[in-house]
Amino acid sequence: MARIITIVNQKGGVGKTTTAINLSASLSFLGKRTLMVDTDTQGNTTSGMGFDKNELEFTIYEVLTHQCNIRDSILHTDLENLDMIGSNINLAGASVELVNVPERERILKNGLKDIQDDYDFVLIDSPPSLGLITLNNLTAAQSVLIPLQCEYFALEGMSELLDTIFLVQKNLNPELTIEGILMTMYDKRTNLSKQVVAEVKNYFGDKVYNTIIPRNVKLGEAPSFGKPSILYSPESTGSQSYMELAKEVIAHG
């Protein structure tokens, strides 16, 4: 049965999509059957994997609104062990359409039940908000991976996110745990990056991954070529860092 991990931070620009793409690719590269689910209306994870998000017949929107079977939405990527479910702007209407649906927070969880034996890992890329879609993701997952940018306001908004996780644990998904805190966009030349990492480790302790994702040009370039970094520039420090993270995530299991 798959380990289902939701990647969440309501702040934008912290590396959620980069992490979803490159951690999924690295897990698949290490032989783990992996499904990546894009639940952001921007569809950046989808296009970052080389798919035209506006040409997809079925996306996560159709899955959540019961317009297709979840298996019909699965896309096969260039990596042998990596599949994905895409997203696009259509998802923006889902929260309104689902508002009166019974058990609306559990729709994704119920959908994934049909396929979770097909994979070792399911990684869900969440939108930068704490709305109904993110609640679905948190309810469907066993654990939460939180990317934090190495910047001055890194912990800003964390209390709100942790409150949301606590409420989901209390009311919807008592098994939910924090998989780990991932420090991203680390710049070893600055004292600020080092201070932020120290502060976060002091706050979260051993929940912080040993692997730290550096600022890396190749990580930024890869999505424009529709590839994860491990295919675009396997020797780059960004690619190597995500491979180390994947090993950590596997070891956590």
Side-chain angles (χ1 to χ4, degrees), residues 8 26 31 42 50 59 71-72 95-96 122 125 133 136-137 142-143 146 149 188 190 199 209 216 226 236 243 250 253:
V8 177
S26 297
Q42 296 176 80
T59 66
R71 289 188 188 280
D72 295 331
S95 296
V96 176
V122 175
D125 184 22
I133 300 301
N136 260 272
N137 298 348
Q142 288 131 17
S143 60
I146 305 171
Q149 190 175 352
K188 64 183 179 182
T190 69
E199 182 183 2
Y209 288 109
N216 180 248
S236 68
M243 193 62 76
I250 291 168

Side-chain angles (χ1 to χ4, degrees), residues 1-5 116 119-123 142-143 179 248-253:
M1 185 178 291
R3 280 172 62 191
I4 303 174
I5 302 171
Q116 61 187 24
Y119 297 98
D120 299 306
F121 286 91
V122 175
L123 267 59
Q142 288 131 17
S143 60
E179 178 76 26
E248 267 197 86
V249 170
I250 291 168
H252 275 195

Side-chain angles (χ1 to χ4, degrees), residues 127-145:
S129 68
L130 296 176
L132 180 58
I133 300 301
T134 298
L135 280 180
N136 260 272
N137 298 348
L138 291 170
T139 304
Q142 288 131 17
S143 60
V144 185
L145 190 158

Side-chain angles (χ1 to χ4, degrees), residues 203-215:
Y203 192 83
F204 288 104
D206 60 5
K207 284 293 182 186
V208 182
Y209 288 109
N210 293 321
T211 303
I212 295 175
I213 307 301
R215 283 196 179 277

Side-chain angles (χ1 to χ4, degrees), residues 6-16 125-130 134 144-149 153-158 161 182:
T6 291
I7 301 170
V8 177
N9 191 323
Q10 75 270 36
K11 288 179 70 176
V14 298
K16 279 194 305 295
D125 184 22
S126 299
S129 68
L130 296 176
T134 298
V144 185
L145 190 158
I146 305 171
L148 280 185
Q149 190 175 352
F153 293 113
L155 289 171
E156 188 181 67
M158 276 297 288
L161 175 55
L182 177 66

Side-chain angles (χ1 to χ4, degrees), residues 90-101:
N90 291 343
L91 185 61
S95 296
V96 176
E97 292 177 51
L98 298 174
V99 73
N100 292 317
V101 174

Side-chain angles (χ1 to χ4, degrees), residues 62-199:
E62 282 79 19
V63 174
L64 293 175
T65 54
H66 301 296
Q67 296 180 53
C68 77
N69 183 286
I70 194 166
R71 289 188 188 280
D72 295 331
S73 69
I74 293 174
L75 306 166
H76 302 294
T77 75
D78 291 337
L79 280 161
E80 183 182 352
N81 292 308
L82 181 58
D83 292 341
M84 82 168 297
I85 298 175
S87 180
N88 57 32
I89 194 63
N90 291 343
L91 185 61
S95 296
V96 176
E97 292 177 51
L98 298 174
V99 73
N100 292 317
V101 174
E103 298 277 281
R104 61 186 178 274
E105 298 91 354
R106 302 181 194 274
I107 296 172
L108 180 59
K109 180 183 181 76
N110 293 333
L112 288 173
K113 282 178 183 174
D114 292 339
I115 57 168
Q116 61 187 24
D117 288 338
D118 299 349
Y119 297 98
D120 299 306
F121 286 91
V122 175
L123 267 59
I124 307 170
D125 184 22
S126 299
S129 68
L130 296 176
L132 180 58
I133 300 301
T134 298
L135 280 180
N136 260 272
N137 298 348
L138 291 170
T139 304
Q142 288 131 17
S143 60
V144 185
L145 190 158
I146 305 171
L148 280 185
Q149 190 175 352
C150 293
E151 62 170 24
Y152 185 69
F153 293 113
L155 289 171
E156 188 181 67
M158 276 297 288
S159 60
E160 186 183 357
L161 175 55
L162 294 173
D163 285 346
T164 300
I165 291 170
F166 173 73
L167 286 171
V168 170
Q169 288 169 327
K170 186 178 176 183
N171 298 303
L172 295 164
N173 184 3
E175 308 301 317
L176 186 66
T177 61
I178 294 180
E179 178 76 26
I181 311 294
L182 177 66
M183 303 308 301
T184 64
M185 304 181 196
Y186 181 81
D187 188 341
K188 64 183 179 182
R189 299 168 299 178
T190 69
N191 286 327
L192 177 60
S193 279
K194 295 169 188 171
Q195 288 167 359
V196 170
V197 170
E199 182 183 2

